[in-house]
């Protein structure tokens, strides 16, 4: 009997967590080729989370710049991004964008992070930085 009570309690807990936003929100990190395929979807919002000077030096075509290191990153992102559309993020190497992806996923955005960041993108594309 205790085994069944435990299963029922855990099922209710899982359902309530999902309902009220307590379930952990995640994001996906993918390689350059898969990332590029995803960018063909017109609904995708592409975000370069590097600092403005890095963005100005070169970025992926169509990317908007929302600086992850800005103290207002999340506010700016929530103002500019549509929660109903997927968000693809990248930075120089993939570390800042992973942090940005984690924050956005907590706010219920569907987020994809570029593994290796802009460096990997340029290396794969033969772009000199």
């Amino acid at each position: 009997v205790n085994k069944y009570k435990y299963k029922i309690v855990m099922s209710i807990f899982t359902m309530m967590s999902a309902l009220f936003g307590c379930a952990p929100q995640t994001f996906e990190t993918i390689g350059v080729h898969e990332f590029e395929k995803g960018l063909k979807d017109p609904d995708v919002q592409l975000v370069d989370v590097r600092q403005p000077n890095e963005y100005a030096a070169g970025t992926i075509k169509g990317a908007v710049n929302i600086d992850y290191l800005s103290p207002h990153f999340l506010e700016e992102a929530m103002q500019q991004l549509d929660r109903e559309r997927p968000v693809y993020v990248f930075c120089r190497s993939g570390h800042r964008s992973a942090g940005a992806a984690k924050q956005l996923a907590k706010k219920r955005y569907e987020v994809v992070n570029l593994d290796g960041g802009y460096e990997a993108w340029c290396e794969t594309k033969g772009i000199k930085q």
Side-chain angles (χ1 to χ4, degrees):
V1 174
N2 278 345
K3 186 166 100 176
Y4 296 111
K5 281 184 182 177
Y6 176 77
K7 283 185 176 183
I8 291 170
V9 168
M10 289 311 294
S11 294
I12 291 170
F13 176 76
T14 302
M15 182 184 70
M16 297 300 281
S17 292
L19 257 176
F20 295 106
C22 299
Q25 299 301 311
T26 60
F27 62 91
E28 187 177 8
T29 297
I30 61 176
V32 172
H33 297 295
E34 200 175 345
F35 195 86
E36 185 176 30
K37 281 182 194 171
L39 292 179
K40 292 179 180 168
D41 179 345
D43 280 345
V44 167
Q45 303 168 95
L46 180 60
V47 182
D48 183 337
V49 300
R50 299 176 299 160
Q51 294 184 305
N53 62 319
E54 294 173 285
Y55 175 81
T59 191
I60 299 173
K61 184 179 179 184
V64 296
N65 184 219
I66 306 174
D67 181 2
Y68 174 64
L69 297 179
S70 161
H72 306 290
F73 166 74
L74 201 50
E75 294 165 35
E76 291 175 28
M78 291 179 71
Q79 286 174 2
Q80 292 185 47
L81 302 173
D82 181 349
R83 193 177 273 128
E84 302 301 315
R85 296 169 51 209
V87 178
Y88 278 43
V89 295
F90 68 95
C91 65
R92 183 180 56 81
S93 65
H95 296 292
R96 284 177 281 177
S97 55
K102 185 176 181 178
Q103 285 191 28
L104 291 169
K106 283 182 180 177
K107 295 293 183 183
R108 302 236 184 259
Y109 286 88
E110 178 189 333
V111 189
V112 176
N113 179 38
L114 175 58
D115 190 26
Y118 190 62
E119 287 179 339
W121 179 271
C122 289
E123 186 178 317
T124 302
K125 300 286 181 189
I127 300 168
K128 293 202 178 213
Q129 295 184 59

